[in-house]
Amino acid sequence: MGEIITASMVNGVLDQVKELLPILMPAMISFIGLRKAISFLQGVLHSA
């Protein structure tokens, strides 16, 4: 396995992950906020 995976391959993967972070973090935060908002609205509607 050590002969197949090289340091440059790992560095390439890490570079791509670092490039995706500015896109993924706001999307994940928005998704979590949307889920919380939906559950809040469901709670309000169930108690009404």
Side-chain angles (χ1 to χ4, degrees):
M1 191 74 165
E3 300 88 30
I4 298 172
I5 300 175
T6 62
S8 63
M9 291 171 72
V10 174
N11 285 337
V13 170
L14 288 176
D15 287 341
Q16 289 181 353
V17 169
K18 285 191 284 187
E19 289 175 5
L20 286 176
L21 280 178
I23 298 168
L24 290 179
M25 290 303 288
M28 287 176 17
I29 292 170
S30 299
F31 179 72
I32 292 170
L34 185 63
R35 284 185 57 205
K36 284 187 166 286
I38 290 172
S39 73
F40 172 74
L41 288 176
Q42 283 180 340
V44 169
L45 290 175
H46 281 294
S47 66

